[in-house]
């Protein structure tokens, strides 16, 4: 699995894999109001990546969850 960066909703999201053997968990970083925020996205039983700690993710980016899920499915694979 690999780290990558994507643009979504006028923001840059940096994805750092937490499992090098399979797509499972990512730390996600985004700069919000000049401050770098970190939250996690983890795969669920249906194979979709969801924000696991919504209180850590700026609320305005909650709507990007599906876009970020698709990005992981495309760019997170080796």
């Amino acid at each position: 699995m690999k780290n990558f960066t994507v643009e979504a909703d006028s923001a840059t999201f940096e994805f750092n894999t937490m499992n090098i053997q399979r797509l499972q968990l990512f730390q996600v970083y985004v700069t919000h109001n000049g401050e770098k925020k970190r939250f996690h996205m983890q795969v669920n039983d249906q194979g979709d990546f969801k924000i696991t700690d919504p209180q850590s993710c700026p609320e305005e980016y909650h709507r990007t969850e599906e876009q970020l899920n698709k990005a992981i499915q495309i760019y997170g694979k080796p």
Side-chain angles (χ1 to χ4, degrees), residues 2-64:
K2 62 183 181 177
N3 299 336
F4 62 94
T5 302
V6 297
E7 298 282 331
D9 205 28
S10 301
T12 301
F13 294 85
E14 300 171 33
F15 291 80
N16 295 325
T17 185
M18 301 300 293
N19 187 326
I20 61 169
Q21 295 181 344
R22 66 184 180 104
L23 286 178
Q24 180 183 9
L25 178 65
F26 284 84
Q27 285 182 337
V28 185
Y29 294 88
V30 64
T31 300
H32 179 69
N33 294 332
E35 187 178 338
K36 198 166 201 173
K37 300 288 188 176
R38 182 187 75 178
F39 60 95
H40 294 88
M41 291 190 74
Q42 186 169 13
V43 70
N44 64 14
D45 293 338
Q46 292 74 40
D48 295 320
F49 281 83
K50 298 292 184 180
I51 297 170
T52 61
D53 49 348
Q55 71 282 359
S56 298
C57 177
E59 190 169 336
E60 69 187 70
Y61 300 128
H62 289 191
R63 66 178 177 259
T64 64

